[in-house]
Amino acid sequence: MAQHFLLSPAAKTLSLAQVMRMSHEEAETMFVRIRWSETNGEPVCPGCACQAVYNVRRPTGPARWRCKACDKEFTITSGTLFASHKMPLQSYLSAIAIFCNEVKGKAALALSRDLGTSYKTSFVLAHKLREAMASELKGKHVGGDGETVEIDGAYFGGYVKPSNLKENRRDRRLAKNQNGKRRVVVVIRERGGSTVPAVFKSESASLGWIGSRVAPGTKVVADEAASWNGLETRYDVARIDHSQAYSLNGVYSNNAESFFSRLRRGEIGHHHHVSGPYLVRYAQESAWREDNRRVSNGDQTRNTVALALSSKPSVDFCGYWQRHKAV
Ligand SMILES: [Zn+2]
């Protein structure tokens, strides 16, 4: 039997030990090469894209340049997701390697133990990495003639704990006994292509979004849920009734199910709560992990560094500390 990819040497190209042995200069060089790969590692001003820069590194400080055109100073992380970073670059690299090596997700508490940071620092950092991974999915369109996408939904969040005593327990299936935080993650998964998730209040609320992301002419596979009936006006839809079979006459949505399996295991095994505004980020992280599952861990780490360095400062956490200090 052929060896599973994840067990092969090709899957393991970067160990945490290698990252830990890197000097500060080596980590800097790696970040510079990744950030400015288009100019072979020559710094480019993030403000005006000018390539003529002075090296203004101070004796004990990080790499720093001043733009000849606009006179602004910048560092390796200026204008990126890691802008005004507080930790050494090796710590970011370690965090990314640790984050990528986990296959279902990494708990912020465990990350804070690995890095020796506060819980909040690792929480924010992990969410920035999710934001970086999500940037790859932004505005992504899938499908087309001859292509097949699988569509499915699953509910997350809004857990209501049953009361201790039987006489105090309520029927938690009724809307009036729920807390309103339950949401459905809907995924579009193209066979041999990308995985695109989003969050809605109900499956039927996602039809407009599906229409905007899946090209006309695409073959769509969905389960028997009535919420998907509206897809038939737009696409050629095959249905698989899961009460009868998971795969019948070549119709199945197992790839979409695999995505939910990963996200659910991340929720149960690592994060415990994935509700609220962050749910979409956990879903996007799982999608990235699905789409990159056959990429070596060294390349996953480098690709995530590249995504973080090509993303603008965080939309989720810009000013997070300031806001939270104020309250
Ligand atoms: Zn400039």
Side-chain angles (χ1 to χ4, degrees):
M1 199 178 99
Q3 189 181 35
H4 190 284
F5 171 74
L6 295 180
L7 300 177
S8 71
K12 293 172 273 193
T13 56
L14 182 72
S15 72
L16 197 56
Q18 283 171 292
V19 176
M20 296 295 192
R21 280 197 295 269
M22 268 188 193
S23 67
H24 184 66
E25 288 70 35
E26 285 169 326
E28 259 188 8
T29 305
M30 183 177 170
F31 270 67
V32 165
R33 285 201 185 130
I34 292 175
R35 175 159 192 193
W36 291 297
S37 58
E38 284 170 10
T39 52
N40 287 322
E42 293 301 322
V44 179
C45 171
C48 71
C50 173
Q51 280 190 57
V53 297
Y54 303 106
N55 183 351
V56 291
R57 184 199 281 264
R58 283 146 204 160
T60 56
R64 196 173 188 87
W65 299 272
R66 186 188 301 127
C67 173
K68 286 186 182 176
C70 72
D71 211 36
K72 288 221 172 68
E73 289 195 9
F74 62 94
T75 67
I76 292 168
T77 59
S78 293
T80 74
L81 204 49
F82 296 148
S84 37
H85 68 272
K86 304 288 189 297
M87 294 192 295
L89 291 177
Q90 294 102 311
S91 297
Y92 285 93
L93 201 52
S94 306
I96 293 170
I98 292 167
F99 199 78
C100 289
N101 279 343
E102 287 287 352
V103 291
K104 314 289 185 213
K106 179 78 184 175
L109 182 65
L111 189 61
S112 78
R113 288 174 169 173
D114 290 340
L115 299 174
T117 61
S118 71
Y119 173 78
K120 269 191 174 179
T121 300
S122 63
F123 177 85
V124 171
L125 177 55
H127 268 297
K128 284 185 177 176
L129 299 183
R130 289 183 189 107
E131 206 178 316
M133 290 171 169
S135 67
E136 228 175 24
L137 296 170
K138 216 171 187 180
K140 190 99 178 171
H141 291 82
V142 296
D145 284 330
E147 302 292 346
T148 303
V149 305
E150 299 174 16
I151 285 172
D152 200 7
Y155 283 86
F156 288 84
Y159 176 70
V160 178
K161 202 174 174 180
S163 299
N164 178 32
L165 295 172
K166 189 171 175 249
E167 59 263 35
N168 295 337
R169 290 181 196 160
R170 301 277 178 270
D171 186 347
R172 291 179 291 159
R173 290 168 298 180
L174 301 176
K176 66 175 178 167
N177 294 329
Q178 292 177 357
N179 62 12
K181 288 185 185 166
R182 214 159 111 89
R183 291 289 180 274
V184 62
V185 173
V186 172
V187 72
I188 305 168
R189 185 151 193 196
E190 184 178 15
R191 286 192 197 149
S194 299
T195 308
V196 187
V199 174
F200 301 91
K201 282 195 168 177
S202 66
E203 283 181 344
S204 45
S206 69
L207 298 185
W209 171 74
I210 293 170
S212 72
R213 296 302 188 96
V214 180
T218 307
K219 189 178 172 201
V220 172
V221 181
D223 64 20
E224 70 285 2
S227 25
W228 307 126
N229 290 350
L231 291 172
E232 270 142 20
T233 56
R234 212 185 284 239
Y235 304 104
D236 169 19
V237 185
R239 309 295 285 264
I240 175 79
D241 183 348
H242 284 159
S243 67
Q244 303 300 319
Y246 291 110
S247 172
L248 202 62
N249 303 325
V251 180
Y252 58 88
S253 58
N254 296 350
N255 294 296
E257 302 288 345
S258 299
F259 162 79
F260 284 119
S261 169
R262 188 183 296 268
L263 181 57
R264 189 68 77 191
R265 287 169 189 194
E267 178 200 29
I268 295 171
H270 293 274
H271 307 302
H272 307 178
H273 295 285
V274 294
S275 60
Y278 302 122
L279 175 58
V280 67
R281 292 295 187 215
Y282 290 105
Q284 288 162 331
E285 173 198 346
S286 278
W288 190 90
R289 291 187 190 282
E290 278 294 326
D291 292 347
N292 289 276
R293 70 197 185 286
R294 295 289 180 269
V295 173
S296 73
N297 67 344
D299 284 342
Q300 285 189 6
T301 301
R302 274 182 283 276
N303 293 346
T304 307
V305 172
L307 288 171
L309 293 181
S310 61
S311 297
K312 297 266 174 281
S314 173
V315 290
D316 295 342
F317 290 101
C318 198
Y320 180 85
W321 293 107
Q322 287 72 12
R323 278 203 309 280
H324 283 253
K325 264 181 205 157
V327 288

Coordinates of all heavy atoms in Angstrom, one line a residue, residues 45 48 67 70, ligand 1:
C45 N 9.4 50.5 -0.6 CA 8.6 51.4 0.3 C 7.2 51.0 0.3 O 6.5 51.0 -0.8 CB 8.8 52.8 0.0 SG 7.7 53.9 0.9
C48 N 4.9 54.3 -1.0 CA 4.9 54.9 -2.3 C 5.5 53.9 -3.4 O 5.6 54.3 -4.5 CB 5.6 56.2 -2.4 SG 7.4 56.1 -2.2
C67 N 12.7 55.7 2.9 CA 12.4 55.8 1.5 C 13.0 57.1 1.0 O 12.8 58.2 1.6 CB 10.9 55.8 1.3 SG 10.4 56.2 -0.4
C70 N 9.7 59.4 -0.4 CA 8.7 60.0 0.5 C 9.3 60.2 1.9 O 8.6 60.7 2.8 CB 7.4 59.2 0.5 SG 7.6 57.6 1.4
Ligands
ZN1 ZN 8.1 56.0 -0.1

